[in-house]
Amino acid sequence: MSTHPKRFEILLVPAHVVDRGDASVDDSAVRSAVVEATGRVGESGYPIYEGHGLMADIDPETRTVEALLVDGRELDYGLMALIRGPRTA
């Protein structure tokens, strides 16, 4: 049985916000989506999560988005994908 989280929330945030000072990442996100595990593994070797137009390979241990498609396309330059979700399985 997998101990990977079943879902994460992905926030798409302008890259300059990562060094945000007092700005909230939640308030700065231009898009967010809850993605759920599909049971498949992506080209990166990590589990695939999908939902609301996003498909992501996510490393559940480090909570890193390893690959991401937004509405079937690569992420636009200047945007970063950040994870908000469970810290434990």
Side-chain angles (χ1 to χ4, degrees):
M1 184 171 127
S2 174
T3 60
H4 300 313
K6 292 187 184 341
R7 71 180 49 94
F8 286 105
E9 183 176 11
I10 296 177
L11 302 173
L12 301 182
V13 179
H16 70 275
V17 174
V18 173
D19 217 9
R20 62 194 173 280
D22 293 336
S24 164
V25 170
D26 295 350
D27 292 338
S28 302
V30 295
R31 184 169 174 177
S32 67
V34 174
V35 293
E36 297 195 13
T38 64
R40 300 184 326 259
V41 175
E43 297 273 330
S44 66
Y46 294 105
I48 296 175
Y49 290 77
E50 288 187 66
H52 305 280
L54 302 185
M55 184 170 77
D57 294 11
I58 299 176
D59 177 351
E61 297 296 320
T62 64
R63 300 166 48 87
T64 302
V65 178
E66 297 292 340
L68 177 67
L69 293 176
V70 179
D71 298 329
R73 305 179 120 177
E74 292 183 9
L75 186 63
D76 289 337
Y77 288 109
L79 291 177
M80 297 184 68
L82 303 176
I83 296 288
R84 179 169 64 180
R87 292 209 174 266
T88 58

